[in-house]
Amino acid sequence: MPARAYLDHAASSPIRPEVAEQVAQDLSEGLGGWANPSSQHASGRRMAGLLAQARARIARALGVDAHEVVLTSGGTEASALMIAGRARAVPGGRLVVSPIEHPAVLDSARAAVEQLGAGLSLLEVDGAGRVGLDSLTASLSASSGAGPAGDPGGAGSRARPTGADTGPPRRGRVSLVSVMAANNETGVVQDMAAVVGRVRRATGVERPGQPGYVPVHCDAVAALGKTVVDFRGWGLDAMSLSGHKLGAPVGVGALVVRREVDLRPVTGGGGQERGVRSGTQDVIGARALALAVELAVGEREAEAVRLGALRDRLLREATALEGVHATLPADAAHLPSTAHLWFEGAQAEALLMALDLAGIDASAGSACHAGVHGPSHVLLAMGLGQDAARSTLRVSLGPGSTERDVERLVTALPGAVDAARRMRAAAGPGHSPAPQRREM
């Protein structure tokens, strides 16, 4: 049986050979990974030294200071820690986030409303998922009135209407702005420098530590290694990243956060990571993350050219099929590694099943809501209708992706789409209508 075509790197990317070799050596050649780096004996001190080296390597690759790197179990914990930590640091404060964020941000913000009394403002996005800067200014305005109470989208809903508010009145202090650098489903890239610049102008406060300063957090999990990520140049205060999207093992990530940002712990414990994230540090995991970050950042430009050409071919041939559309408009900045499509008259589950039988691994969107087959909150926020939002395909490329993988997909796609449409027709009349997009 021929090898499968793995086209789901946005969900998780295979461990890089160099990283796998390093982990194997660390485990087998007496690194002493069993010793606790907080211990005062010689073995513990050695592990503490290796941990410091790994932290410094991560910081150097990202252009930040080593003391700003807080190690976590992954991107989800990093983002959740930032949201919950700020809600605890600023009681009654208001979180301002985009409606297309990862559940680690959106669900954590909703929990902060329900459990900590925080406020929540959701920004507006256009038909490509780009944040409206004017809505950001409005959300930061101290003169804005109170928003309606309740949970945007309804209890348990994954969809979030744009421009919605919940929790305490909007005149409460804004505790955090959180906008992702690149969307994990569609691949749209935000202008993060413009986002931060608008926050600074709207608040009139430029420097951390000054009264009224509003920190800006960025979920960079999908962006790092795929497009430019510039913590210092963008003026960010915090940034999340995840190892398994870069070729490190699952279970390691980091929150990069400035010292000046007041962040409160969400759990008790030994306070190993700057007092905000407790637990015995995984030195072997930290070393794996450091190497994966170095490799991903180092090869980014060359891989962007290679993967961008594969993505362009995939979109060109897929959209030549009747009733197949690119989700993002041509002028939207996007990741070179992600192609997102929607299909008239074909639901995602049937399409994925047909591709799976053809030996192709792809997805309908985020893999972070296991077992959830409802329409994507990202696509609904962008203005796609319910049917279109249930009829999508995300193809994401990575270091191991080849021309042969793309050829296999475009060859199998016509038959898969036809089979999915027959299944949809057999289930009853219906047709996925063209999406009605909002314009900014």
Side-chain angles (χ1 to χ4, degrees):
M1 176 181 294
R4 296 183 65 84
Y6 186 75
L7 298 173
D8 200 19
H9 287 261
S12 193
S13 204
I15 297 178
R16 293 172 180 268
E18 304 94 328
V19 175
E21 181 180 0
Q22 176 181 279
V23 170
Q25 290 177 349
D26 285 351
L27 289 171
S28 65
E29 294 183 5
L31 177 66
W34 56 86
N36 191 321
S38 296
S39 297
Q40 298 303 305
H41 49 63
S43 294
R45 294 195 303 272
R46 179 168 182 264
M47 296 306 293
L50 291 171
L51 181 67
Q53 291 174 11
R55 197 187 308 273
R57 289 170 58 192
I58 295 168
R60 186 164 52 249
L62 298 176
V64 302
D65 295 334
H67 69 260
E68 295 175 320
V69 178
V70 175
L71 295 169
T72 68
S73 63
T76 290
E77 185 193 6
S79 291
L81 174 60
M82 189 66 204
I83 298 297
R86 282 301 290 168
R88 284 170 167 79
V90 187
R94 184 159 48 88
L95 303 163
V96 176
V97 306
S98 90
I100 65 166
E101 295 298 303
H102 187 278
V105 169
L106 283 174
D107 289 354
S108 295
R110 184 174 57 192
V113 170
E114 297 171 350
Q115 300 169 16
L116 302 174
L120 173 61
S121 294
L122 294 177
L123 300 170
E124 294 180 357
V125 296
D126 66 8
R130 294 169 293 204
V131 167
L133 296 181
D134 289 343
S135 76
L136 180 55
T137 298
S139 292
L140 292 164
S141 172
S143 62
S144 297
D151 177 13
S157 172
R158 298 303 178 189
R160 298 288 188 271
T162 57
D165 294 281
T166 187
R170 290 183 60 186
R171 61 181 176 269
R173 174 186 171 188
V174 174
S175 57
L176 183 70
V177 171
S178 184
V179 175
M180 65 195 329
N183 186 261
N184 56 305
E185 291 190 31
T186 68
V188 70
V189 174
Q190 303 288 346
D191 186 344
M192 288 305 304
V195 169
V196 176
R198 183 61 67 95
V199 172
R200 300 292 166 249
R201 288 192 296 276
T203 60
V205 184
E206 297 283 340
R207 296 183 180 179
Q210 291 182 323
Y213 184 84
V214 176
V216 180
H217 165 257
C218 174
D219 174 354
V221 169
L224 188 62
K226 310 297 190 305
T227 188
V228 174
V229 172
D230 189 352
F231 187 88
R232 288 280 184 262
W234 291 345
L236 293 174
D237 301 283
M239 179 174 75
S240 304
L241 61 118
S242 185
H244 75 104
K245 305 299 177 81
L246 304 170
V250 172
V252 63
L255 174 66
V256 180
V257 57
R258 292 179 186 265
R259 279 283 194 183
E260 300 90 343
V261 177
D262 187 5
L263 197 64
R264 302 296 170 85
V266 298
T267 64
Q272 282 86 347
E273 292 291 310
R274 276 177 50 182
V276 298
R277 199 273 181 176
S278 297
T280 302
Q281 293 106 324
D282 177 4
V283 178
I284 293 176
R287 282 170 47 79
L289 178 63
L291 181 55
V293 170
E294 289 170 341
L295 293 172
V297 171
E299 70 185 19
R300 180 191 63 78
E301 291 187 12
E303 277 291 271
V305 173
R306 186 181 75 85
L307 297 180
L310 295 179
R311 176 189 185 272
D312 290 347
R313 182 199 170 187
L314 192 160
L315 285 176
R316 184 174 60 252
E317 298 199 24
T319 55
L321 300 174
E322 183 178 358
V324 180
H325 311 274
T327 304
L328 295 181
D331 65 345
H334 56 264
L335 294 178
S337 54
T338 299
H340 200 276
L341 300 156
W342 73 274
F343 301 79
E344 296 180 18
Q347 287 199 330
E349 290 89 342
L351 181 61
L352 291 174
M353 183 184 303
L355 291 176
D356 192 29
L357 291 173
I360 298 167
D361 297 325
S363 69
S366 174
C368 296
H369 277 141
V372 176
H373 299 297
S376 161
H377 73 277
V378 172
L379 301 179
L380 293 178
M382 289 165 54
L384 273 76
Q386 290 270 346
D387 282 346
R390 295 175 185 270
S391 306
T392 62
L393 178 69
R394 181 187 69 182
V395 179
S396 49
L397 310 166
S401 301
T402 65
E403 187 78 33
R404 180 177 297 178
D405 294 328
V406 173
E407 175 67 29
R408 188 168 178 179
L409 174 64
V410 298
T411 299
L413 198 56
V417 173
D418 184 59
R421 285 175 176 159
R422 288 199 306 271
M423 291 182 65
R424 173 68 181 270
H431 181 84
S432 295
Q436 301 297 313
R437 297 185 183 277
R438 283 182 302 273
E439 300 298 332
M440 299 304 295

